[in-house]
Amino acid sequence: MGRLRKILTWLRSLYGITTIAVILIISIQWYQRVISGQYDPYHCQALLHNGTWSPSTSGGSRKWEPKGCRMVEYSRGALHDCLDDKKVVFVGDSTIRQIFWAGVRRLDPKQAKNEIKGVLASERKHEDMVFEAHGLMLEFIWDPWLNSTALSNILEAFHPSPGLPGEITVREKWGSSAALIIIGAPGLWAARYGGYHYLDLFKRGIASIMPHISNSIDGDNGLSSLSWNSQGAVGVGNQVLLAPVQVPEYSNLAPNRSRTITPKRIEEMNEYLSQLPTNQSSHIPWVYNQLLVGLGEDQEADGLHVSDGVAAYKLDIALNARCNSAARARSPSFRGTCCIVEPANGQRFLALGSFGIIMLAWSISQLMMLHPKPLLRYDLITKIGWICLFTLAWSWFCDRTHYIGKAERHYQQYEFVKHCIFWIGASLATLVRTRVPAGETPITAAVFQRDAPGYRGPGFLSRDHSDEIKGVMQGFILLYHYHAASQTLWVYKLVRLFISAYFYISGYGHTMYLLKTRDFSLARVAATRTMSGSGAMLRRGCRLGLKGSGGACSSGFCSRLRLSGLRRWRMVLLRLLLDACRGRGLGCW
């Protein structure tokens, strides 16, 4: 019975809850990847095969979001950094030409408008086109059957590995290779003009592409073969994407088209593509057809073509597949998480490994220690060290690996309020009276802040109470950021009040302590600065409302220390000299 009670007590503790949560997360990930076969190490399949439209905002706009990762919109400058003076080639019919025009608008909207007007006026719709602007080149090849000489030449010059920047021999050999080739499956033309042999014509066109998509997009010669130089630059593999047969809006098709472009024929050709080997089907962005689900207003009146906004999303999906890894290599703060290979960073592993070795040696030395009354609280230091090591390792695991999916967050009031109520209930359920056994010091802020003997808190609000209140407020602030509630005015105002209350409680505690104890020692200052500064350091890089609270509270403590000791400046100077002589650390003076 006593052992069962110990187990239940451990399960209620923070260590027990955290350990169980970590085990569950890792077990679920292992099941999905090993048992269910949902292995997508770089989230390329999530980008190309699965996604949904975000909930409508107050303005009625929506964004396309892959399931399990975050895609970004590429600007002209980002395109220039990614393509590195290489070209992007679009091959197919008028549906692929729409993606080409989306790229032209991205590079130069004004010039694109003039180009489109010129093409429509000259009736040069079924011709090849080239657009150059700002050192970038986009090329469109009109080839609805995928049997042209121009396409054959482009594929012959294509090579998936461009090599590292600066390698002249590789660039001379593969300089004509396109960085990205987007090819449209010849399904609409085969259905419209192929007669009874439409499927054979379709397969014949696809067969010419198969040798160039034989490797998985994130396997050999894909993302996993990225190369890095000593400066961390990445040689990103060139890509070939095969767009599926676009599903038209059948009700809007003209009578002469609706007789041949039927659901049966379109489904049969897309079914053939879906039965290709896994390596080849990984190059097919099936989300191109998912973009059209439930968005009849974003298709043009002819039923075949889409709006400019949907065409722009198709372009961004292809660019995310090609450019995201290089963007992450250039900037660790890059927001995209689809098709990402994390740069090799030996310093991070070395730091974590060294920290782990130090903690292991420290723990072993503590077990072998023979001193009955050690001068330091070795058990306390050990617990703090392991907690810090676990926090850093878990943060790296969540943020710099692909085991935990990253996706856009959207505010949903019901979910936010539900989690806040759950947090209040959990806080009240775990509220217990502190009982400290004789001879044992609790792990609280009082241990590190070296309270004067006999000090029992400020009176009106004890330290234990203030720590509980601040912990509850921090939980609300974490939920506020997790649910992306910053755009909701009433939640924003409430969180601002929480942050103000957090500063007030911290200032109240420091001020009352100084007024009651007259403890102006450097030891007190150093302990307070260390505790506040270490918290701010561990939170660095996190976008939390309290990310600056450590420095702010620490600076506020110094100000209150100066004001409180202003009338006793002689005593302060004397205490500073004594502490300095005794080597009791540095303060904020």
Side-chain angles (χ1 to χ4, degrees):
M1 191 65 182
R3 181 176 298 180
L4 179 60
R5 187 179 294 110
K6 289 182 179 180
I7 295 175
L8 294 177
T9 303
W10 180 82
L11 290 176
R12 288 185 58 188
S13 66
L14 180 61
Y15 301 105
I17 295 174
T18 304
T19 304
I20 293 174
V22 170
I23 293 175
L24 285 176
I25 291 174
I26 296 178
S27 300
I28 293 173
Q29 292 292 329
W30 179 83
Y31 175 81
Q32 290 179 342
R33 295 169 184 269
V34 179
I35 305 300
S36 301
Q38 302 175 7
Y39 185 66
D40 186 14
Y42 310 123
H43 295 291
C44 280
Q45 306 307 317
L47 171 70
L48 299 177
H49 294 177
N50 201 355
T52 184
W53 288 99
S54 67
S56 299
T57 61
S58 57
S61 61
R62 295 198 291 178
K63 293 176 57 179
W64 178 257
E65 298 175 354
K67 184 178 180 180
C69 65
R70 183 189 299 118
M71 62 176 284
V72 297
E73 178 181 339
Y74 272 85
S75 62
R76 183 179 64 194
L79 273 176
H80 193 278
D81 293 336
C82 166
L83 300 179
D84 194 23
D85 298 329
K86 298 186 181 68
K87 63 182 178 180
V88 179
V89 180
F90 305 83
V91 184
D93 55 15
S94 57
T95 61
I96 299 299
R97 185 174 57 205
Q98 283 194 292
I99 308 177
F100 166 77
W101 286 127
V104 172
R105 294 187 190 94
R106 191 71 55 85
L107 294 182
D108 194 330
K110 185 176 180 180
Q111 188 177 351
K113 187 176 181 179
N114 297 331
E115 289 280 346
I116 295 174
K117 286 183 178 180
V119 170
L120 294 177
S122 62
E123 296 295 331
R124 293 186 293 108
K125 296 181 181 181
H126 296 172
E127 294 183 6
D128 299 347
M129 290 179 283
V130 176
F131 181 84
E132 296 186 49
H134 308 286
L136 297 175
M137 183 173 74
L138 306 180
E139 180 179 357
F140 171 72
I141 298 176
W142 174 262
D143 186 8
W145 297 103
L146 303 187
N147 59 358
S148 66
T149 303
L151 173 60
S152 177
N153 294 335
I154 289 293
L155 293 177
E156 184 178 355
F158 176 79
H159 192 271
S161 178
L164 293 173
E167 292 184 355
I168 305 301
T169 56
V170 176
R171 284 184 173 270
E172 288 177 350
K173 185 175 182 180
W174 304 109
S176 59
S177 176
L180 175 65
I181 303 177
I182 303 177
I183 303 175
L188 293 177
W189 277 66
R192 179 75 175 89
Y193 301 106
Y196 294 107
H197 303 286
Y198 69 93
L199 188 58
D200 292 334
L201 294 173
F202 175 79
K203 293 180 179 180
R204 190 182 307 169
I206 297 299
S208 63
I209 311 299
M210 290 298 100
H212 303 279
I213 58 174
S214 58
N215 297 310
S216 175
I217 195 172
D218 52 9
D220 296 336
N221 292 328
L223 291 178
S224 63
S225 63
L226 297 185
S227 48
W228 305 84
N229 62 11
S230 58
Q231 288 76 31
V234 62
V236 180
N238 301 321
Q239 299 288 0
V240 176
L241 297 181
L242 176 62
V245 183
Q246 180 168 305
V247 179
E249 185 69 25
Y250 297 104
S251 60
N252 293 339
L253 292 177
N256 59 336
R257 289 175 172 173
S258 61
R259 284 193 295 268
T260 54
I261 303 178
T262 62
K264 178 180 178 298
R265 291 188 173 188
I266 300 300
E267 291 174 3
E268 190 174 2
M269 288 184 284
N270 277 330
E271 180 66 20
Y272 172 77
L273 292 179
S274 67
Q275 294 177 355
L276 294 175
T278 304
N279 290 346
Q280 296 175 342
S281 63
S282 67
H283 292 261
I284 302 177
W286 292 106
V287 294
Y288 279 11
N289 282 332
Q290 295 181 23
L291 284 166
L292 308 177
V293 176
L295 293 179
E297 67 276 7
D298 281 336
Q299 288 190 303
E300 294 185 0
D302 60 5
L304 290 176
H305 302 93
V306 298
S307 65
D308 295 341
V310 173
Y313 275 118
K314 290 184 177 182
L315 175 68
D316 279 321
I317 290 169
L319 292 175
N320 275 254
R322 169 61 174 80
C323 301
N324 279 4
S325 283
R328 171 60 66 85
R330 289 189 296 269
S331 174
S333 61
F334 178 69
R335 286 182 52 81
T337 61
C338 301
C339 273
I340 290 289
V341 178
E342 291 292 341
N345 192 339
Q347 297 178 353
R348 184 183 300 119
F349 291 102
L350 181 62
L352 286 176
S354 301
F355 194 2
I357 294 173
I358 292 173
M359 288 307 306
L360 183 61
W362 179 275
S363 301
I364 295 175
S365 65
Q366 179 190 351
L367 295 175
M368 300 176 62
M369 186 170 295
L370 302 178
H371 300 289
K373 293 182 178 181
L375 298 176
L376 296 174
R377 286 295 310 276
Y378 287 100
D379 56 339
L380 185 60
I381 296 175
T382 302
K383 290 180 180 179
I384 295 171
W386 283 114
I387 290 174
C388 291
L389 177 61
F390 174 81
T391 302
L392 293 173
W394 182 249
S395 299
W396 167 82
F397 177 79
C398 294
D399 191 48
R400 287 292 182 259
T401 67
H402 294 280
Y403 290 97
I404 306 297
K406 290 85 173 175
E408 295 289 348
R409 295 167 295 175
H410 303 285
Y411 174 70
Q412 296 181 355
Q413 183 165 304
Y414 171 75
E415 293 293 329
F416 174 71
V417 174
K418 180 180 68 175
H419 289 162
C420 287
I421 294 175
F422 175 80
W423 172 245
I424 294 175
S427 301
L428 295 177
T430 55
L431 190 63
V432 295
R433 184 182 296 275
T434 303
R435 293 183 177 88
V436 182
E440 182 177 343
T441 305
I443 305 177
T444 62
V447 175
F448 307 100
Q449 294 181 356
R450 300 173 60 91
D451 289 341
Y455 179 69
R456 294 294 181 266
F460 176 75
L461 190 63
S462 68
R463 174 164 292 132
D464 289 336
H465 292 162
S466 63
D467 287 344
E468 288 289 340
I469 294 173
K470 289 193 289 185
V472 171
M473 289 191 296
Q474 286 182 354
F476 282 123
I477 293 171
L478 287 173
L479 291 174
Y480 162 81
H481 286 280
Y482 177 79
H483 288 277
S486 59
Q487 303 301 319
T488 305
L489 184 59
W490 71 270
V491 183
Y492 176 83
K493 290 181 177 180
L494 186 61
V495 169
R496 294 300 104 184
L497 289 176
F498 283 161
I499 295 175
S500 301
Y502 191 97
F503 287 133
Y504 173 78
I505 292 175
S506 299
Y508 176 80
H510 288 310
T511 302
M512 294 303 296
Y513 177 88
L514 294 173
L515 291 176
K516 284 190 174 185
T517 64
R518 299 296 180 181
D519 182 11
F520 303 106
S521 64
L522 282 180
R524 172 72 182 182
V525 175
T528 304
R529 290 298 303 269
T530 301
M531 287 299 298
S532 301
S534 61
M537 181 184 66
L538 290 175
R539 290 190 298 266
R540 182 174 297 173
C542 299
R543 299 182 178 182
L544 302 178
L546 291 176
K547 65 180 178 181
S549 61
C553 290
S554 183
S555 301
F557 170 77
C558 292
S559 301
R560 287 184 291 274
L561 181 61
R562 295 190 184 96
L563 292 175
S564 300
L566 189 60
R567 296 180 181 179
R568 301 172 59 85
W569 62 272
R570 293 183 180 86
M571 182 179 294
V572 172
L573 291 178
L574 180 61
R575 184 64 62 85
L576 285 173
L577 291 175
L578 292 175
D579 288 342
C581 292
R582 290 190 293 181
R584 296 181 62 180
L586 299 176
C588 55
W589 303 90

